């Protein structure tokens, strides 16, 4: 086998294995002797700098924060990724594509900090109007009108989300009928012990929350627990906002290093990661970590043909 072709095949397989390991994709490639494959892998691994990757994760998840698809923060992430790729000498292009609507809720804490949550599209949307403010109370479980105290009118109600859509719709209806001015449902524990995530509650098209001007937000489990901890220190007054964003576009950021021989039909190696996050999460593990490794591999592979 020609030495140049052999090296090219080793590179292709090594990159495919790295993509498989970190993206969960399925890649098929020609088998090569294990010794040669391991030797090249070690060259790549030795050059990967974990501290650089961590800084990419930190910027995407902390400096930018939640990056729901099609929202401004995701585009900020795209600009950052493009700038890093360009610094490594890659040819960068943006590839826009349409994505679905986003229902975004916001909790405004007493000291001005804001948390992103999901919002019910069929609940009341504050849109660009003023936030709805009220003192927070905890109600449990909320599936019966009798669960709501006499002091509910004018309050924001925090409840652990019931386990079915039908049941949590009942919780929301009961809160709205009891005079609550806002509802926050927080998630149950997720699978495999993970904290439940923020979500956009699914309400019936016609419901008392919408009719009564009551925004309904879906918080992550940890956010609900934090709010309950705040209440243990004394009364808490919050602001709620809710808005639906439509006509959104997400985008792919494509950094290309052409084949050294200039062949436009040369085999293509893909190293990929998705840059958006779910609503309300900083997206460090899902998926700034994948992006960070892809960017670090781009830095390493800039030295290879």
């Amino acid at each position: 086998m020609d030495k140049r072709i052999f090296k090219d095949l080793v590179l292709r397989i090594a990159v495919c294995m790295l993509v498989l390991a970190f993206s969960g994709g399925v890649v098929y490639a020609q088998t090569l002797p294990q010794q040669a494959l391991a030797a090249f892998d070690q060259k790549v691994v030795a050059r990967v700098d974990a501290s650089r990757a961590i800084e990419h994760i930190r910027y995407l998840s902390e400096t930018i924060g939640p990056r729901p698809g099609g929202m401004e923060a995701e585009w900020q992430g795209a600009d950052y990724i493009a700038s890093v790729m360009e610094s490594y000498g890659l040819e960068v292009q943006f590839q826009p594509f349409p994505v679905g609507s986003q229902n975004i809720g916001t909790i405004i804490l007493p000291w001005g900090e804001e948390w992103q949550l999901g919002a019910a599209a069929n609940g009341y949307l504050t849109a660009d109007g003023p936030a709805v403010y009220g003192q927070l109370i905890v109600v449990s479980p909320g599936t019966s009108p009798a669960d709501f105290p006499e002091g509910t009118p004018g309050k924001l109600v925090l409840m652990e989300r019931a386990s079915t859509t039908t049941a949590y719709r009942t919780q929301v209806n009961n809160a709205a009928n009891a005079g609550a001015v806002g509802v926050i449902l927080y998630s149950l524990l997720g699978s495999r012990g993970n904290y439940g995530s923020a979500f956009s509650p699914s309400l019936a098209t016609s419901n008392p929350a919408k009719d009564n001007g009551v925004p309904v937000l879906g918080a992550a489990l940890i956010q609900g627990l934090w709010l309950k901890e705040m209440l243990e220190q004394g009364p808490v007054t919050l602001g709620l906002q809710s808005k639906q964003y439509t006509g959104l576009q997400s985008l792919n950021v494509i950094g290309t290093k052409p084949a050294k021989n200039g062949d436009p039909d040369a085999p293509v190696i893909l190293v990929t990661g998705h840059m958006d996050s779910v609503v309300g999460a900083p997206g460090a593990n899902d998926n700034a970590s994948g992006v960070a490794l892809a960017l670090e591999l781009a830095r390493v592979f800039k030295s290879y043909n």
Side-chain angles (χ1 to χ4, degrees):
M1 179 182 290
D2 180 88
K3 186 176 181 181
R4 179 184 59 82
I5 297 176
F6 179 79
K7 285 185 176 180
D8 177 64
L9 285 172
V10 173
L11 174 59
R12 289 163 59 192
I13 292 174
V15 175
C16 285
M17 288 188 69
L18 286 162
V19 172
L20 174 61
F22 289 93
S23 72
V26 177
V27 180
Y28 297 94
Q30 179 178 337
T31 302
L32 286 178
Q34 184 62 34
Q35 184 175 359
L37 180 60
F40 184 83
D41 280 353
Q42 289 307 312
K43 288 182 180 180
V44 173
V45 170
R47 289 167 171 76
V48 169
D49 185 342
S51 63
R52 290 175 181 267
I54 290 293
E55 287 308 308
H56 294 317
I57 295 172
R58 193 184 311 281
Y59 189 89
L60 290 167
S61 64
E62 293 185 359
T63 302
I64 297 178
R67 304 173 303 281
M71 299 294 289
E72 181 182 353
E74 188 200 28
W75 284 67
Q76 291 174 2
D79 286 339
Y80 172 76
I81 292 165
S83 68
V84 175
M85 287 181 172
E86 288 173 342
S87 74
Y88 297 151
L90 299 179
E91 299 175 1
V92 177
Q93 69 180 101
F94 293 111
Q95 183 186 66
F97 59 92
V99 291
S101 301
Q102 295 282 4
N103 302 309
I104 306 294
T106 303
I107 290 180
I108 305 171
L109 298 172
W111 52 90
E113 181 183 349
E114 296 183 358
W115 290 350
Q116 185 183 89
L117 289 78
N122 287 333
Y124 173 71
L125 298 175
T126 65
D128 294 323
V132 173
Y133 280 86
Q135 186 175 326
L136 186 67
I137 63 172
V138 176
V139 172
S140 180
T143 50
S144 169
D147 295 331
F148 295 83
E150 292 183 2
T152 299
K155 301 294 197 306
L156 304 178
V157 172
L158 175 67
M159 295 180 286
E160 181 180 294
R161 183 188 70 185
S163 58
T164 68
T165 301
T166 299
Y168 77 63
R169 284 179 175 178
T170 298
Q171 290 176 300
V172 171
N173 292 346
N174 288 339
N177 289 330
V181 295
V183 176
I184 304 169
L185 299 173
Y186 65 92
S187 285
L188 305 173
L189 194 67
S191 61
R192 301 184 304 280
N194 295 329
Y195 283 119
S197 63
F199 67 104
S200 295
S202 173
L203 303 183
T205 303
S206 177
N207 62 80
K210 185 174 184 179
D211 295 340
N212 298 344
V214 178
V216 180
L217 275 56
L221 172 61
I222 191 63
Q223 292 171 323
L225 297 180
W226 284 338
L227 290 173
K228 292 176 74 172
E229 288 177 3
M230 290 179 202
L231 282 171
E232 292 175 359
Q233 307 303 314
V236 176
T237 297
L238 305 173
L240 301 187
Q241 290 181 311
S242 54
K243 186 174 182 178
Q244 184 179 66
Y245 297 83
T246 59
L248 300 176
Q249 280 196 324
S250 183
L251 72 168
N252 294 318
V253 185
I254 305 171
T256 304
K257 181 180 180 182
K260 186 178 181 181
N261 62 8
D263 180 4
D265 298 319
V268 176
I269 299 167
L270 298 178
V271 181
T272 71
H274 72 84
M275 61 189 176
D276 65 328
S277 76
V278 297
V279 172
N285 185 51
D286 184 9
N287 186 35
S289 56
V291 172
L293 180 62
L295 291 177
E296 183 55 9
L297 289 175
R299 185 188 67 82
V300 171
F301 284 129
K302 73 178 182 179
S303 302
Y304 293 94
N305 295 330

